[in-house]
């Protein structure tokens, strides 16, 4: 049974994190000094480094600070940046969460701001111990997935096993989100045929075509040297492997960072910015995309890897699914699930898919993932630009 944390807006979280959020890079060090001594007490650090405004970053920060896994928020500002701190604070306050803003230029500098931040957190952590609890069913879970450090085994074991897990979750009414249209080039026709409606299918094709144009402008695709060293031959092969994470369920909708799916089902997250390509867009970064999955409401992230990855995430726990049996033997201390057993003949895709679902439910019930035990709380947020999704992209609310 999942005993979740009940928020004022009716949403339920599987963690009760206090977030320290810096609102410009100039405040990063102070925020980090506040958070680091308390990171073993569910205090997580997030933030936006930019000094000029960006609607995407503002939306991401609001969604993250009001995520159901978050119980309280400390905002740390230098004082002269353009981020709208007052608007973010009001959004957090309206969600029923405790919030405090510290402005370094007004608080007396580094040492005094750090002391004030830690003192407030000491108080709020006690307050969070009395957060109301409520039973949470599987159909209330939101689960995201991403692959990183992929090799030739990723598309044979871990990714399709996650696809089997997604099918099991969707069958039980949960929400499942797969992402990165830039790693699905060539699979757009397959996804369009699985779309709930023809207009959604056309939107999916357009989103992948947009990703292909971006990579053409930049002169590279989402294919790293490490992928080739791991035995992947082409972007098409990598795309088919990434696609297998989606399973076989109908695709209910296409969303963008910060969009929370209106109901259960399988969703594709488009992480490639809209508009003309700009320097730094898109940033191919596992942790930036994990943050986007979290901003869409993901309680848990499934991270598949063939060559090996050690990253986790702030706010939502990461479950690491290892594709390669040799990698698992080297890096077992960083992995939650050994999908490489499929290649060894010790398990089937269905076996590992069921194991992944069991791990998700155990994590939702409070069991720490490996990355949580190792205190991995990585976070990246940069500049991007997105237009709202059209009406054809989302199913109607029930």
């Amino acid at each position: 049974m999942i005993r979740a944390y009940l928020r004022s807006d009716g949403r339920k979280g599987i963690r009760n994190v206090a977030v320290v959020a810096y609102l410009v890079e100039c405040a990063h060090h102070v925020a980090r000094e506040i958070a680091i001594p308390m990171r073993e007490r569910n205090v997580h650090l997030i933030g936006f480094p930019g000094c000029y405004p960006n609607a995407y970053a503002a939306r991401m920060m609001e969604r993250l600070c009001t995520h159901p896994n978050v119980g309280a928020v400390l905002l740390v500002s230098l004082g002269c940046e353009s981020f709208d701190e007052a608007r973010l604070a009001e959004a957090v306050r309206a969600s029923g969460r405790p919030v405090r803003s510290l402005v370094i230029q007004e608080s007396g500098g580094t040492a005094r701001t750090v002391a004030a931040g830690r003192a407030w957190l000491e108080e709020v952590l006690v307050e969070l111990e009395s957060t109301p609890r409520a039973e949470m069913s599987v159909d209330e879970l939101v689960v995201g997935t991403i692959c990183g450090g992929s090799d030739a085994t990723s598309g044979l074991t871990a990714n399709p096993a996650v696809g089997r897990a997604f099918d099991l979750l969707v069958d039980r009414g949960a929400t499942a989100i797969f992402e990165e249209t830039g790693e699905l080039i060539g699979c757009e026709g397959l996804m369009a045929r699985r779309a709930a409606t023809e207009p959604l299918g056309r939107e999916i094709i357009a989103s992948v075509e947009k990703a292909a144009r971006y990579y053409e402008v930049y002169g590279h695709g989402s294919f790293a040297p490490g992928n080739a060293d791991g035995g992947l031959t082409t972007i098409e092969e990598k795309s088919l492997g990434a696609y297998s994470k989606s399973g076989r369920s109908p695709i209910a909708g296409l969303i963008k960072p910060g969009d929370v799916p209106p109901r259960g089902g399988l969703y594709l997250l488009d992480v490639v910015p809209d508009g003309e390509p700009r320097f730094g867009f898109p940033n191919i970064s596992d942790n930036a995309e994990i943050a986007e999955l979290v901003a869409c409401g993901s309680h848990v992230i499934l991270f598949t890897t063939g060559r090996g990855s050690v990253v986790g995430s702030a706010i939502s726990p990461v479950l690491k699914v290892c594709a390669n049996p040799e990698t698992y033997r080297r890096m077992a201390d960083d992995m939650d699930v050994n999908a490489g057993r499929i290649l060894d003949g010790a398990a089937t895709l269905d076996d590992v898919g069921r194991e992944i679902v069991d791990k998700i439910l155990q994590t939702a019930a409070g069991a720490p993932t490996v990355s949580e035990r190792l205190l991995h709380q990585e976070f990246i947020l940069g500049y991007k630009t997105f237009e709202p999704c059209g009406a054809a992209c989302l199913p109607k609310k029930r």
Side-chain angles (χ1 to χ4, degrees):
M1 181 178 67
I2 303 172
R3 291 285 294 168
Y5 296 92
L6 181 62
R7 306 303 176 192
S8 297
D9 59 6
R11 300 170 77 191
K12 298 172 185 176
I14 64 169
R15 295 293 184 267
N16 203 19
V17 171
V19 160
V20 178
Y22 59 91
L23 306 183
V24 67
E25 184 62 25
C26 304
H28 190 166
H29 173 77
V30 170
R32 183 171 58 243
E33 288 298 301
I34 293 170
I36 287 296
M38 298 181 168
R39 62 180 182 156
E40 295 189 49
R41 299 167 64 189
N42 281 326
V43 175
H44 291 199
L45 177 68
I46 69 171
F48 176 59
C51 195
Y52 66 87
N54 179 248
Y56 155 81
R59 186 169 192 248
M60 284 282 293
M61 290 290 283
E62 180 176 331
R63 290 288 192 267
L64 292 163
C65 288
T66 58
H67 188 281
N69 287 352
V70 172
V73 179
L74 176 65
L75 303 178
V76 184
S77 162
L78 176 62
C80 55
E81 70 276 359
S82 61
F83 196 100
D84 194 339
E85 172 269 328
R87 179 175 177 177
L88 179 57
E90 180 52 37
V92 176
R93 191 173 295 110
S95 75
R97 292 164 173 79
V99 60
R100 170 82 184 274
S101 296
L102 293 176
V103 181
I104 298 169
Q105 292 170 346
E106 299 173 2
S107 298
T110 298
R112 292 182 184 180
T113 307
V114 169
R118 290 179 185 172
W120 185 79
L121 283 172
E122 289 289 354
E123 295 178 2
V124 85
L125 287 173
V126 174
E127 184 178 341
L128 290 183
E129 292 177 0
S130 60
T131 301
R133 305 295 289 268
E135 290 188 17
M136 183 178 187
S137 57
V138 174
D139 62 5
E140 296 175 277
L141 277 174
V142 183
V143 181
T145 190
I146 180 175
C147 48
S150 300
D151 69 8
T153 69
S154 296
L156 300 175
T157 61
N159 289 357
V162 165
R164 301 295 171 93
F166 264 18
D167 289 340
L168 293 171
L169 290 168
V170 170
D171 284 346
R172 296 174 67 176
T175 301
I177 307 173
F178 70 110
E179 58 82 56
E180 203 178 359
T181 46
E183 288 192 359
L184 294 167
I185 294 170
C187 298
E188 57 271 28
L190 298 172
M191 293 187 290
R193 287 195 287 274
R194 290 171 57 194
T197 66
E198 287 187 12
L200 173 60
R202 291 193 290 270
E203 293 283 355
I204 290 172
I205 290 173
S207 72
V208 178
E209 290 176 344
K210 176 186 67 172
R213 288 194 300 272
Y214 257 82
Y215 287 130
E216 184 177 2
V217 169
Y218 283 112
H220 63 78
S222 183
F223 194 93
N227 297 146
D229 292 343
L232 284 170
T233 60
T234 61
I235 187 63
E236 289 84 0
E237 183 183 4
K238 186 177 183 183
S239 291
L240 285 169
Y243 170 72
S244 67
K245 297 198 305 296
S246 67
R248 300 172 181 171
S249 302
I251 299 175
L254 173 68
I255 58 177
K256 297 183 181 182
D259 290 337
V260 177
R263 58 180 174 87
L266 178 67
Y267 293 80
L268 170 61
L269 172 60
D270 178 5
V271 300
V272 176
D274 293 324
E276 293 301 314
R278 303 181 187 179
F279 178 75
F281 294 0
N283 54 337
I284 302 171
S285 166
D286 293 337
N287 280 99
E289 290 157 14
I290 289 174
E292 290 170 330
L293 286 165
V294 175
C296 292
S298 297
H299 294 97
V300 180
I301 305 296
L302 303 177
F303 191 120
T304 66
T305 183
R307 300 206 66 192
S309 173
V310 300
V311 300
S313 174
I315 298 176
S316 293
V318 172
L319 277 166
K320 207 68 64 63
V321 183
C322 186
N324 190 320
E326 292 299 325
T327 301
Y328 186 83
R329 283 187 270 274
R330 289 195 309 272
M331 300 181 65
D333 291 346
D334 282 279
M335 303 299 162
D336 296 279
V337 177
N338 178 15
R341 293 182 298 126
I342 297 166
L343 286 184
D344 287 338
T348 66
L349 284 172
D350 287 331
D351 291 336
V352 178
R354 287 190 291 268
E355 180 183 352
I356 292 168
V357 172
D358 288 342
K359 287 282 187 179
I360 291 169
L361 297 180
Q362 291 165 19
T363 300
T369 66
V370 170
S371 63
E372 285 183 298
R373 289 200 300 268
L374 293 172
L375 299 178
H376 280 285
Q377 298 173 4
E378 289 86 347
F379 182 85
I380 301 173
L381 177 60
Y383 287 98
K384 286 187 180 181
T385 300
F386 287 96
E387 298 296 329
C389 281
C393 293
L394 294 174
K396 294 180 180 179
K397 291 184 179 181
R398 290 174 178 167

